[in-house]
Amino acid sequence: MNIRDFEYFHQLVKEKNFSKVAQIFSVSQPTVTLAIKRLEEEFETTFFIRDRSHKELLVTPSGYQFDAHLKVILNELAIAKKEALRAKQEKLLFGLPPIIGNYFFPNIVSKLIATGLIEQLETREAGSQTLLKLLLDGSLDFCLLGSLEPLTQPALKAETFAQASFKIIVSKQHPLASKKAVYFSELKDERFIVHNEGFIHDKVLKLLAQKEHFRPDVIYRTNYVHVLKSMVVSNTGIACLTDIAISPNDDFSVLELLDEQQPKFLLSIVTRATQVMTPAKKQLLDILHDTVYNSPIGKENE
C-alpha cells in the first residue's frame, strides 16, 4: 500500500474504468488492478464490483466511504508538499479581499517593513470565498476574510474580531438619495453594480433578493470597489456595500437597510488548523492581531 495506490483508487471511483485510470497515470491496466487488490486485501473488504452483464464497474458503500477518507488524506499530502516547498523559500502567503485589504493593509505593511517581514510576504487579492478555497488547499498561509457565518470548519482556525453592516449606496442624483433608509423590497426595479462571484457582497445581494422573491437586475460585475463606487456616482446603478468600504469622502448617498434579520459582515483572521507556527508566521500573526484589534472597527467590537 502506497500513496500512488490511493491516487489510483480515488481516480477509479471517479472514472469507474480501469483503462481510463491507467491512461491518466500512464501505467498499464494490470498496475491499477494490482493496486486495488492490495487495498482490498489490506482492508479485508470489497471496494469495487464488476458488473460484466452491463459492462460497468460499481463502487460498493465501503468503497465510497474509503474514498471519503482518501480525499482528506490526499488533500493533506498536497498541502504538506506546498508547505515544505515554502519552508525552503521562506515565503509567507497572505490572502485578503480588496475591501478588507484597503481598510487594514496600509497599517499592516508599515509593521511588516519595520520587522523585515515584507521581503518574505506574497499577497493574493480575491473574494473571500475564493481565498478560503486557496487556504484550504494549502496555497495560502493566512487570510483576513469576510463571511456571513462564523468559519467553523474543522480544517480551519478562525478568529472573528469584528462585524460590520451592509448599506445601499446610490448616486446623489438618484431619486432614493433623499431617503435615509429603505427596505430591500423597494429596490426590485433598480439596476445593480455587483462584485464578482467569490465575493461576499455577491452572496449578500442574492440572499436579500431571494428573501423578497425577486431577481436583481445586475448590469455590471467587478472585482474592484473603486470601479463599483464610480459607477454608482455616475448613476449607472446602485450597489450593496459593507460600511467598512464606505468613506466620508465618497460622493454618493448611503442608505440604511430597514429589513429585519439582515446579514452581518464578519471579519476573521483565518489559518489552517494543522499549520505549525514558525517564528516568521508567529510574528505575522502577532502583527495581524495588533493591527485589527487596534483599528476603529476592532475597538468598536470589543
Side-chain angles (χ1 to χ4, degrees), residues 243-263:
D243 52 12
I244 72 165
I246 299 172
S247 163
N249 299 322
D250 286 325
D251 191 26
F252 48 68
S253 296
V254 181
L255 312 180
E256 300 282 342
L257 278 169
L258 297 171
D259 302 72
E260 295 182 1
Q261 299 180 336
Q262 296 175 36

Side-chain angles (χ1 to χ4, degrees), residues 56-80:
E56 62 180 338
L57 187 69
L58 303 177
V59 185
T60 66
S62 62
Y64 281 119
Q65 181 62 70
F66 186 58
D67 188 56
H69 292 295
L70 284 190
K71 288 177 185 177
V72 177
I73 293 169
L74 293 173
N75 183 62
E76 287 296 320
L77 286 170
I79 291 172

Side-chain angles (χ1 to χ4, degrees), residues 33-91:
T33 302
L34 287 172
I36 301 306
K37 184 178 179 181
R38 279 195 297 271
L39 290 172
E40 290 182 327
E41 289 176 351
E42 176 71 23
F43 291 92
E44 299 180 354
T45 189
T46 299
F47 291 133
F48 298 94
I49 298 173
R50 292 173 176 81
D51 184 349
R52 301 191 186 281
S53 62
H54 295 91
K55 296 182 179 180
E56 62 180 338
L57 187 69
L58 303 177
V59 185
T60 66
S62 62
Y64 281 119
Q65 181 62 70
F66 186 58
D67 188 56
H69 292 295
L70 284 190
K71 288 177 185 177
V72 177
I73 293 169
L74 293 173
N75 183 62
E76 287 296 320
L77 286 170
I79 291 172
K81 288 180 181 179
K82 292 177 182 177
E83 288 178 335
L85 178 61
R86 283 205 294 280
K88 293 179 183 179
Q89 299 172 338
E90 298 183 338
K91 293 293 183 183

Side-chain angles (χ1 to χ4, degrees), residues 18-267:
F18 280 89
S19 297
K20 284 185 180 179
V21 173
Q23 195 172 33
I24 289 170
F25 289 96
S26 299
V27 296
S28 66
Q29 184 172 326
T31 299
V32 178
T33 302
L34 287 172
I36 301 306
K37 184 178 179 181
R38 279 195 297 271
L39 290 172
E40 290 182 327
E41 289 176 351
E42 176 71 23
F43 291 92
E44 299 180 354
T45 189
T46 299
F47 291 133
F48 298 94
I49 298 173
R50 292 173 176 81
D51 184 349
R52 301 191 186 281
S53 62
H54 295 91
K55 296 182 179 180
E56 62 180 338
L57 187 69
L58 303 177
V59 185
T60 66
S62 62
Y64 281 119
Q65 181 62 70
F66 186 58
D67 188 56
H69 292 295
L70 284 190
K71 288 177 185 177
V72 177
I73 293 169
L74 293 173
N75 183 62
E76 287 296 320
L77 286 170
I79 291 172
K81 288 180 181 179
K82 292 177 182 177
E83 288 178 335
L85 178 61
R86 283 205 294 280
K88 293 179 183 179
Q89 299 172 338
E90 298 183 338
K91 293 293 183 183
L92 298 170
L93 301 187
F94 179 44
L96 68 170
I99 287 174
I100 297 177
N102 289 342
Y103 191 87
F104 291 107
F105 200 56
N107 289 332
I108 293 172
V109 167
S110 63
K111 294 170 184 176
L112 291 171
I113 293 172
T115 58
L117 282 181
I118 192 68
E119 295 180 3
Q120 293 176 245
L121 192 75
E122 290 186 6
T123 59
R124 172 72 183 268
E125 280 198 11
S128 288
Q129 295 176 80
T130 300
L131 292 174
L132 180 58
K133 292 177 183 177
L134 293 173
L135 182 66
L136 287 169
D137 76 10
S139 298
L140 295 172
D141 297 315
F142 296 91
C143 290
L144 288 181
L145 295 181
S147 64
L148 301 181
E149 301 289 343
L151 299 170
T152 57
Q153 292 98 313
L156 297 176
K157 184 177 181 181
E159 180 180 351
T160 300
F161 60 86
Q163 68 176 26
S165 300
F166 291 94
K167 313 291 186 186
I168 299 299
I169 61 172
V170 303
S171 167
K172 290 182 176 180
Q173 287 74 50
H174 194 284
L176 289 173
S178 60
K179 292 193 172 189
K180 297 294 183 183
V182 292
Y183 288 98
F184 196 79
S185 59
E186 298 176 59
L187 308 177
K188 64 180 180 180
D189 296 323
E190 298 294 335
R191 298 177 302 177
F192 284 87
I193 315 299
V194 187
H195 280 94
N196 283 324
E197 293 185 3
F199 285 78
I200 295 298
H201 288 77
D202 174 66
K203 188 175 182 179
V204 167
L205 183 67
K206 290 175 180 175
L207 287 173
L208 290 169
Q210 186 178 33
K211 184 180 175 183
E212 298 303 327
H213 308 290
F214 73 88
R215 178 174 294 180
D217 180 13
V218 176
I219 62 170
Y220 192 78
R221 291 183 176 274
T222 179
N223 285 341
Y224 305 105
V225 67
H226 68 275
V227 173
L228 181 145
K229 287 182 176 182
S230 66
M231 294 183 73
V232 169
V233 169
S234 67
N235 206 17
T236 305
I238 70 172
C240 179
L241 196 60
T242 178
D243 52 12
I244 72 165
I246 299 172
S247 163
N249 299 322
D250 286 325
D251 191 26
F252 48 68
S253 296
V254 181
L255 312 180
E256 300 282 342
L257 278 169
L258 297 171
D259 302 72
E260 295 182 1
Q261 299 180 336
Q262 296 175 36
K264 291 293 183 181
F265 189 62
L266 305 183
L267 293 91

